[in-house]
Amino acid sequence: MFRRLTLVKIFFFICLITFLLTKALVAQNKFVFEQPKMGSPFTVTIFSHDSAKAAEVAAIAFHCADSLNHIFSDYIDSSELNRLNATSGQGHYVPVSSAMFDILKYSLEAAKKSDGNFDVTMGPVIKLWRKARKEKKLPDSSILKNALGKVGYKYIHMDSVVQTVWLEKPGMKLDLGGIGKGYVAQAALNMIEAKGLHSAMVNAGGSIVVGEAPPKRDAWLVGITLPEEKEKIMSGLLLLKNTSVATSGDIYQHLDINGKRYSHIIDPETGLGITTQRSVTVIAKNGAVSDWLSTACSVLSIDKAIALVKQLKDAAILITEIKDGKLIQKNSENFNDYFANSRTL
């Protein structure tokens, strides 16, 4: 009797080990899900053994994006951002959500590190430029000057003890367009990984965050768009894992006046859209950071942009620019470490 029980236990143990090994050896499949979010395609790529789980987790990621968009968007009248903007100049702090407080902390840190070349208080000016692109004419100089008078990141006050925010200047309007997509993409990836799926990528309209490498690969392969090109990418591909990458340029949003192209990216000092034909790609550990850095470095001179990125740990930058009809390229030294070569493809 004892021997029979022992044999049963051994048989059960062998079956259990066989089942676990078989499950581990089953190839993970690639699942791609896409929905429109925040005015752009929002793509979730997941490697998983289980298609049902991949779909379930992707749905959670999309819900995360929707929830954060309802907080951060200035296009949604009832958004938390618009409710906060409505309190500007009223002389008191107002409670905000954890997500709002967190993204504003990133934003103020970005403003300080970039010496104001990234500034989420540019809302009044950005609103003028949206109108300018529709009407195809530059904003009136006096109106633009008035809008610039309502700008200044130093007039955002935050109380971390009770999680409140005070917008000091009357007429201040925050715009999170230069950081929001990267922040949302990172939050969505974090949620996917929390569900046990670590080989995943989230692409929020060009702000990309990636987790562990796909099965049997060293990293994710990511292409870089050339300046002024919608379809063409550089010949070199990036090898990325557990990091983020964002590219800023004027491919899709710009204003052409008298032969000059003004980007949707605004210089906080002048209130004008930048006119350089430039594409800026930044790699950083966090999606919010790569997003704001690519925006700030589009405004800065090439040398200052590279110097800024060098100050941040684990960040790298590539700038490609069309100047006098020629394509020039400059990058931080560590950016070359991310390029794939023939042995890694």
Side-chain angles (χ1 to χ4, degrees), residues 88-104:
S88 64
Q90 293 183 4
H92 60 84
Y93 284 85
V94 295
V96 296
S97 66
S98 297
M100 179 62 77
F101 198 85
D102 193 41
I103 199 170
L104 289 181

Side-chain angles (χ1 to χ4, degrees), residues 80 92-102 105 157-166:
E80 182 179 353
H92 60 84
Y93 284 85
V94 295
V96 296
S97 66
S98 297
M100 179 62 77
F101 198 85
D102 193 41
K105 281 200 302 183
H157 307 282
M158 303 178 68
D159 188 331
S160 59
V161 177
V162 289
Q163 199 170 284
T164 54
V165 175
W166 168 32

Side-chain angles (χ1 to χ4, degrees), residues 30-198:
K30 180 181 178 181
F31 301 96
V32 181
F33 309 88
E34 184 174 297
Q35 291 185 11
K37 305 289 180 190
M38 300 175 290
S40 303
F42 192 96
T43 307
V44 174
T45 304
I46 295 172
F47 280 88
S48 176
H49 301 290
D50 186 340
S51 61
K53 182 173 182 180
E56 177 188 351
V57 172
I60 292 171
F62 289 133
H63 178 70
C64 170
D66 285 334
S67 299
L68 289 174
N69 187 46
H70 200 81
I71 294 172
F72 301 149
S73 176
D74 67 331
Y75 287 96
I76 301 173
D77 291 340
S78 61
S79 72
E80 182 179 353
L81 180 69
N82 280 330
R83 297 198 308 272
L84 176 60
N85 284 338
T87 69
S88 64
Q90 293 183 4
H92 60 84
Y93 284 85
V94 295
V96 296
S97 66
S98 297
M100 179 62 77
F101 198 85
D102 193 41
I103 199 170
L104 289 181
K105 281 200 302 183
Y106 273 112
S107 299
L108 285 185
E109 181 182 0
K112 292 170 185 175
K113 287 184 175 179
S114 69
D115 196 24
N117 285 283
F118 178 85
D119 191 340
V120 293
T121 69
M122 287 292 291
V125 179
I126 291 171
K127 187 176 180 180
L128 287 181
W129 277 89
R130 287 178 186 167
K131 182 181 179 183
R133 288 202 304 274
K134 287 181 181 178
E135 298 179 350
K136 300 188 184 306
K137 64 179 183 180
L138 293 174
D140 179 83
S141 58
S142 61
I143 296 175
L144 181 59
K145 183 178 180 180
N146 179 266
L148 280 170
K150 301 172 184 177
V151 169
Y153 71 89
K154 294 179 181 179
Y155 299 98
I156 300 177
H157 307 282
M158 303 178 68
D159 188 331
S160 59
V161 177
V162 289
Q163 199 170 284
T164 54
V165 175
W166 168 32
L167 303 182
E168 183 180 347
K169 272 195 174 186
M172 284 181 73
K173 288 189 181 299
L174 307 184
D175 186 296
L176 300 173
I179 191 172
K181 287 182 179 178
Y183 185 97
V184 172
Q186 187 67 59
L189 180 69
N190 292 347
M191 196 159 284
I192 292 169
E193 292 180 326
K195 296 297 180 180
L197 299 178
H198 297 280

Side-chain angles (χ1 to χ4, degrees), residues 157-308:
H157 307 282
M158 303 178 68
D159 188 331
S160 59
V161 177
V162 289
Q163 199 170 284
T164 54
V165 175
W166 168 32
L167 303 182
E168 183 180 347
K169 272 195 174 186
M172 284 181 73
K173 288 189 181 299
L174 307 184
D175 186 296
L176 300 173
I179 191 172
K181 287 182 179 178
Y183 185 97
V184 172
Q186 187 67 59
L189 180 69
N190 292 347
M191 196 159 284
I192 292 169
E193 292 180 326
K195 296 297 180 180
L197 299 178
H198 297 280
S199 183
M201 175 173 68
V202 177
N203 183 346
S207 291
I208 299 171
V209 294
V210 299
E212 291 292 338
K216 299 181 181 179
R217 303 287 289 186
D218 292 329
W220 293 85
L221 290 172
V222 177
I224 305 172
T225 306
L226 288 167
E228 308 302 311
E229 297 287 349
K230 293 182 180 179
E231 304 296 337
K232 294 182 182 179
I233 63 172
M234 292 181 63
S235 57
L237 295 173
L238 299 178
L239 282 171
L240 304 174
K241 65 177 180 179
N242 297 317
T243 192
S244 73
V245 61
T247 298
S248 288
D250 64 357
I251 301 173
Y252 297 100
Q253 300 184 62
H254 54 262
L255 173 64
D256 294 314
I257 300 288
N258 298 326
K260 182 177 285 190
R261 172 168 289 190
Y262 296 87
S263 172
H264 71 291
I265 300 172
I266 311 299
D267 184 337
E269 184 175 352
T270 65
L272 298 174
I274 61 173
T275 57
T276 52
Q277 294 177 287
R278 182 187 291 184
S279 178
V280 177
T281 299
V282 174
I283 297 169
K285 280 296 181 184
N286 183 283
V289 175
S290 61
D291 202 357
W292 77 254
L293 270 175
S294 66
T295 302
C297 292
S298 295
V299 176
L300 291 165
S301 69
I302 290 178
D303 289 341
K304 287 184 178 180
I306 292 174
L308 170 62

